[in-house]
Amino acid sequence: MEPITHVAGRAIPFGRKNVDTDVIIPAHWLKTITREGLGKGAFEAVKKEPGNVFDDPEYAGAPILIAGDNFGCGSSREHAAWALLDLGVTCVIAPSFSDIFSGNAFKNGILTVALPQAAVDRLLEVAKTDPIDIDLGTQTVTTPFQDRFAFEIDPFRKHCLLEGLDEVGLTLAQVDAISAHEAKAKTDLPFLARASASLN
């Protein structure tokens, strides 16, 4: 997982409320055995709408998506986070998120920023013409027009995102403690080591 300290650039001014995971990535895309290429299916139904923001070259490669309330509701498919990453999105700003989507996003290195509706409305306007900057260290979203919005984030999630630590990375960070525990267990509980050897 890549560390996130800053996410800056153009933002896709989507703004739609109650966007479920089937809108983010339709079910027929779930048959894939790889995460790559899911960006093509991201927001497939929305892309069929005339003048949609996802087909606007102005926002091509934008790392930020600005969405509406209750983003990521619906099923628990992790493919929704994978599709956003493949689309190039590493931060989603919305008034609120589905808990499951927020967890999946975090585990895959996507920063979810919850802001009041008034702040989101302002960012939707700015995004039409100018870039937005998200600083995870200071937990702020800023614009070239001196807008500054503070956001909350769980300290553990913040640490993991700043360090680029997924669940495997967190485990590997404790390799010395794990090795020490196993060595001590062999000394203190030798019968476990013998039982384990007899099973092999």
Side-chain angles (χ1 to χ4, degrees):
M1 192 165 88
E2 291 297 316
I4 294 179
T5 53
H6 276 86
V7 182
R10 295 302 300 272
I12 303 167
F14 185 37
R16 194 172 297 184
K17 296 180 180 182
N18 301 312
V19 171
D20 64 28
T21 50
D22 195 53
V23 172
I24 299 171
I25 187 71
H28 63 267
W29 283 87
L30 308 188
K31 299 172 186 173
T32 180
I33 57 171
T34 177
R35 299 180 186 194
E36 296 175 5
L38 288 174
K40 295 175 193 169
F43 302 99
E44 186 176 68
V46 178
K47 289 175 181 175
K48 293 176 182 176
E49 300 171 4
N52 74 83
V53 294
F54 294 101
D55 284 340
D56 189 334
E58 186 84 10
Y59 307 110
I64 304 162
L65 175 69
I66 305 176
D69 199 32
N70 196 29
F71 186 79
C73 57
S75 76
S76 60
R77 67 189 67 165
E78 193 171 12
H79 295 69
W82 299 346
L84 288 171
L85 282 172
D86 200 54
L87 195 62
V89 172
T90 54
C91 178
V92 182
I93 300 172
S96 68
F97 298 89
S98 148
D99 287 343
I100 293 175
F101 171 81
S102 182
N104 285 339
F106 156 66
K107 289 177 182 179
N108 285 280
I110 297 174
L111 172 62
T112 54
V113 173
L115 290 174
Q117 186 64 57
V120 171
D121 290 342
R122 171 60 181 158
L123 293 172
L124 284 167
E125 281 302 309
V126 172
K128 293 175 183 176
T129 55
D130 291 272
I132 290 170
D133 185 279
I134 299 109
D135 186 324
L136 180 54
T138 61
Q139 296 176 213
T140 54
V141 179
T142 55
T143 76
F145 306 102
Q146 307 308 309
D147 299 293
R148 185 179 181 86
F149 305 111
F151 63 90
E152 296 296 320
I153 185 170
D154 175 80
F156 174 73
R157 288 189 175 189
K158 179 179 179 178
H159 166 74
C160 290
L161 290 170
L162 285 170
E163 300 296 325
L165 294 172
D166 57 12
E167 291 170 332
V168 173
L170 282 168
T171 302
L172 291 175
Q174 301 298 320
V175 69
D176 290 341
I178 293 168
S179 297
H181 171 78
E182 289 180 343
K184 187 173 186 306
K186 283 181 182 177
T187 303
D188 296 349
L189 308 167
F191 57 89
L192 288 180
R194 287 194 301 271
S196 177
S198 66
L199 293 174
N200 293 331

